Short mmCIF file of all heavy atoms in Angstrom, two decimals:
data_model
loop_
_atom_site.label_atom_id
_atom_site.label_comp_id
_atom_site.label_asym_id
_atom_site.label_seq_id
_atom_site.Cartn_x
_atom_site.Cartn_y
_atom_site.Cartn_z
N GLY A 730 0.80 -1.22 0.00
CA GLY A 730 0.00 0.00 0.00
C GLY A 730 0.83 1.26 0.00
O GLY A 730 0.29 2.37 0.02
N SER A 731 2.16 1.12 -0.04
CA SER A 731 3.03 2.29 -0.03
C SER A 731 4.27 2.02 -0.88
O SER A 731 4.81 0.91 -0.86
CB SER A 731 3.44 2.61 1.41
OG SER A 731 4.25 3.75 1.45
N ILE A 732 4.69 3.05 -1.61
CA ILE A 732 5.91 2.98 -2.40
C ILE A 732 6.66 4.31 -2.24
O ILE A 732 6.10 5.27 -1.71
CB ILE A 732 5.64 2.72 -3.90
CG1 ILE A 732 4.72 3.80 -4.48
CG2 ILE A 732 5.09 1.32 -4.11
CD1 ILE A 732 4.51 3.69 -5.99
N SER A 733 7.90 4.35 -2.68
CA SER A 733 8.68 5.59 -2.70
C SER A 733 8.89 5.98 -4.15
O SER A 733 9.32 5.15 -4.96
CB SER A 733 10.03 5.40 -2.02
OG SER A 733 9.86 5.21 -0.64
N VAL A 734 8.59 7.23 -4.48
CA VAL A 734 8.71 7.70 -5.86
C VAL A 734 9.76 8.81 -5.93
O VAL A 734 9.76 9.74 -5.12
CB VAL A 734 7.36 8.22 -6.39
CG1 VAL A 734 7.51 8.83 -7.78
CG2 VAL A 734 6.33 7.09 -6.40
N THR A 735 10.65 8.66 -6.90
CA THR A 735 11.67 9.67 -7.17
C THR A 735 11.38 10.26 -8.54
O THR A 735 11.43 9.56 -9.55
CB THR A 735 13.08 9.05 -7.16
OG1 THR A 735 13.29 8.41 -5.90
CG2 THR A 735 14.14 10.13 -7.36
N MET A 736 11.06 11.54 -8.57
CA MET A 736 10.77 12.21 -9.83
C MET A 736 12.09 12.47 -10.55
O MET A 736 13.07 12.86 -9.92
CB MET A 736 10.01 13.50 -9.56
CG MET A 736 8.65 13.25 -8.93
SD MET A 736 7.82 14.72 -8.32
CE MET A 736 7.48 15.57 -9.83
N ASN A 737 12.11 12.26 -11.87
CA ASN A 737 13.35 12.42 -12.62
C ASN A 737 13.25 13.42 -13.77
O ASN A 737 14.20 13.58 -14.52
CB ASN A 737 13.85 11.07 -13.14
CG ASN A 737 12.92 10.46 -14.16
OD1 ASN A 737 11.94 11.05 -14.58
ND2 ASN A 737 13.22 9.23 -14.54
N ALA A 738 12.14 14.09 -13.92
CA ALA A 738 11.97 15.04 -15.01
C ALA A 738 12.22 16.48 -14.55
O ALA A 738 12.18 17.39 -15.37
CB ALA A 738 10.58 14.92 -15.61
N GLU A 739 12.46 16.67 -13.28
CA GLU A 739 12.64 18.00 -12.72
C GLU A 739 14.06 18.52 -12.96
O GLU A 739 14.98 17.73 -13.15
CB GLU A 739 12.38 17.94 -11.21
CG GLU A 739 11.00 17.45 -10.84
CD GLU A 739 9.89 18.37 -11.28
OE1 GLU A 739 10.04 19.60 -11.13
OE2 GLU A 739 8.88 17.87 -11.79
N PRO A 740 14.25 19.83 -12.92
CA PRO A 740 15.59 20.38 -13.15
C PRO A 740 16.57 20.04 -12.03
O PRO A 740 17.77 19.92 -12.25
CB PRO A 740 15.38 21.88 -13.24
CG PRO A 740 14.05 22.14 -12.62
CD PRO A 740 13.25 20.87 -12.76
N GLU A 741 16.07 19.87 -10.81
CA GLU A 741 16.93 19.52 -9.69
C GLU A 741 16.62 18.10 -9.22
O GLU A 741 15.54 17.58 -9.47
CB GLU A 741 16.76 20.51 -8.53
CG GLU A 741 15.41 20.46 -7.83
CD GLU A 741 14.29 21.24 -8.52
OE1 GLU A 741 14.56 22.03 -9.43
OE2 GLU A 741 13.13 21.03 -8.14
N THR A 742 17.58 17.49 -8.56
CA THR A 742 17.39 16.15 -8.03
C THR A 742 16.49 16.24 -6.80
O THR A 742 16.76 17.03 -5.89
CB THR A 742 18.74 15.53 -7.64
OG1 THR A 742 19.58 15.51 -8.80
CG2 THR A 742 18.56 14.12 -7.11
N LEU A 743 15.45 15.46 -6.79
CA LEU A 743 14.51 15.45 -5.68
C LEU A 743 14.66 14.16 -4.89
O LEU A 743 14.98 13.11 -5.46
CB LEU A 743 13.08 15.58 -6.19
CG LEU A 743 12.76 16.84 -6.98
CD1 LEU A 743 11.33 16.76 -7.51
CD2 LEU A 743 12.93 18.08 -6.12
N GLN A 744 14.41 14.24 -3.60
CA GLN A 744 14.43 13.05 -2.77
C GLN A 744 13.17 12.23 -3.03
O GLN A 744 12.13 12.77 -3.41
CB GLN A 744 14.48 13.43 -1.30
CG GLN A 744 15.79 14.02 -0.87
CD GLN A 744 15.85 14.17 0.64
OE1 GLN A 744 14.85 14.14 1.33
NE2 GLN A 744 17.05 14.36 1.14
N ALA A 745 13.28 10.94 -2.80
CA ALA A 745 12.12 10.06 -2.94
C ALA A 745 11.04 10.50 -1.94
O ALA A 745 11.34 10.91 -0.83
CB ALA A 745 12.52 8.62 -2.68
N ALA A 746 9.80 10.42 -2.39
CA ALA A 746 8.67 10.78 -1.54
C ALA A 746 7.78 9.55 -1.35
O ALA A 746 7.60 8.76 -2.28
CB ALA A 746 7.86 11.91 -2.17
N PRO A 747 7.22 9.39 -0.15
CA PRO A 747 6.32 8.26 0.07
C PRO A 747 4.97 8.51 -0.60
O PRO A 747 4.41 9.60 -0.50
CB PRO A 747 6.18 8.21 1.59
CG PRO A 747 6.48 9.60 2.05
CD PRO A 747 7.43 10.19 1.05
N TRP A 748 4.50 7.52 -1.31
CA TRP A 748 3.18 7.56 -1.95
C TRP A 748 2.34 6.45 -1.33
O TRP A 748 2.78 5.31 -1.22
CB TRP A 748 3.28 7.32 -3.45
CG TRP A 748 3.87 8.44 -4.25
CD1 TRP A 748 4.84 9.31 -3.90
CD2 TRP A 748 3.51 8.79 -5.58
NE1 TRP A 748 5.12 10.18 -4.92
CE2 TRP A 748 4.31 9.87 -5.97
CE3 TRP A 748 2.59 8.27 -6.50
CZ2 TRP A 748 4.22 10.48 -7.22
CZ3 TRP A 748 2.50 8.87 -7.74
CH2 TRP A 748 3.30 9.96 -8.10
N THR A 749 1.13 6.77 -0.95
CA THR A 749 0.19 5.80 -0.43
C THR A 749 -0.79 5.44 -1.55
O THR A 749 -1.37 6.32 -2.17
CB THR A 749 -0.59 6.36 0.78
OG1 THR A 749 0.35 6.71 1.79
CG2 THR A 749 -1.58 5.34 1.32
N ILE A 750 -0.92 4.16 -1.80
CA ILE A 750 -1.85 3.69 -2.82
C ILE A 750 -3.22 3.57 -2.17
O ILE A 750 -3.43 2.75 -1.28
CB ILE A 750 -1.39 2.35 -3.42
CG1 ILE A 750 0.00 2.53 -4.04
CG2 ILE A 750 -2.42 1.83 -4.43
CD1 ILE A 750 0.71 1.24 -4.38
N ARG A 751 -4.15 4.41 -2.59
CA ARG A 751 -5.49 4.45 -2.01
C ARG A 751 -6.44 3.48 -2.70
O ARG A 751 -7.35 2.93 -2.08
CB ARG A 751 -6.05 5.86 -2.09
CG ARG A 751 -5.21 6.87 -1.32
CD ARG A 751 -5.67 8.27 -1.60
NE ARG A 751 -6.98 8.50 -0.99
CZ ARG A 751 -7.28 9.56 -0.27
NH1 ARG A 751 -6.38 10.49 -0.07
NH2 ARG A 751 -8.48 9.71 0.22
N ARG A 752 -6.24 3.34 -4.01
CA ARG A 752 -7.13 2.48 -4.80
C ARG A 752 -6.38 2.04 -6.05
O ARG A 752 -5.76 2.86 -6.72
CB ARG A 752 -8.36 3.28 -5.18
CG ARG A 752 -9.44 2.52 -5.88
CD ARG A 752 -10.67 3.42 -6.03
NE ARG A 752 -11.55 2.90 -7.05
CZ ARG A 752 -12.40 3.63 -7.73
NH1 ARG A 752 -12.49 4.92 -7.51
NH2 ARG A 752 -13.17 3.07 -8.63
N CYS A 753 -6.43 0.77 -6.35
CA CYS A 753 -5.77 0.26 -7.55
C CYS A 753 -6.66 -0.82 -8.15
O CYS A 753 -6.84 -1.89 -7.55
CB CYS A 753 -4.39 -0.30 -7.23
SG CYS A 753 -3.48 -0.86 -8.69
N GLU A 754 -7.24 -0.52 -9.31
CA GLU A 754 -8.12 -1.44 -10.02
C GLU A 754 -7.64 -1.54 -11.47
O GLU A 754 -8.14 -0.84 -12.34
CB GLU A 754 -9.57 -0.95 -9.96
CG GLU A 754 -10.12 -0.84 -8.55
CD GLU A 754 -11.47 -0.15 -8.48
OE1 GLU A 754 -12.09 0.11 -9.53
OE2 GLU A 754 -11.90 0.16 -7.35
N PRO A 755 -6.61 -2.38 -11.69
CA PRO A 755 -6.03 -2.49 -13.03
C PRO A 755 -7.06 -2.92 -14.07
O PRO A 755 -7.88 -3.79 -13.78
CB PRO A 755 -4.95 -3.55 -12.88
CG PRO A 755 -4.70 -3.66 -11.41
CD PRO A 755 -5.98 -3.28 -10.73
N PRO A 756 -7.02 -2.41 -15.25
CA PRO A 756 -6.24 -1.27 -15.73
C PRO A 756 -7.06 0.02 -15.79
O PRO A 756 -6.90 0.84 -16.69
CB PRO A 756 -5.87 -1.71 -17.16
CG PRO A 756 -7.12 -2.43 -17.62
CD PRO A 756 -7.65 -3.12 -16.38
N HIS A 757 -7.94 0.22 -14.80
CA HIS A 757 -8.87 1.34 -14.89
C HIS A 757 -8.65 2.48 -13.91
O HIS A 757 -8.89 3.64 -14.28
CB HIS A 757 -10.31 0.82 -14.74
CG HIS A 757 -10.71 -0.10 -15.84
ND1 HIS A 757 -11.03 0.33 -17.09
CD2 HIS A 757 -10.79 -1.45 -15.88
CE1 HIS A 757 -11.32 -0.71 -17.86
NE2 HIS A 757 -11.18 -1.80 -17.14
N VAL A 758 -8.26 2.20 -12.68
CA VAL A 758 -8.17 3.26 -11.68
C VAL A 758 -6.92 3.09 -10.82
O VAL A 758 -6.65 2.00 -10.32
CB VAL A 758 -9.41 3.27 -10.74
CG1 VAL A 758 -9.29 4.37 -9.70
CG2 VAL A 758 -10.70 3.42 -11.53
#
């Protein structure tokens, strides 16, 4: 229910942020 995401398209290096998965219904939501 939780992952760490590191954005890579930004001009500066960002630290990984925790993401909570609230709902996952492949391949729709």
Side-chain angles (χ1 to χ4, degrees):
S731 182
I732 57 174
S733 291
V734 175
T735 303
M736 297 169 68
N737 65 6
E739 302 294 318
E741 68 277 348
T742 302
L743 300 176
Q744 290 189 342
W748 288 34
T749 301
I750 300 167
R751 299 171 70 133
R752 185 173 162 205
C753 184
E754 299 171 10
H757 297 284
V758 179

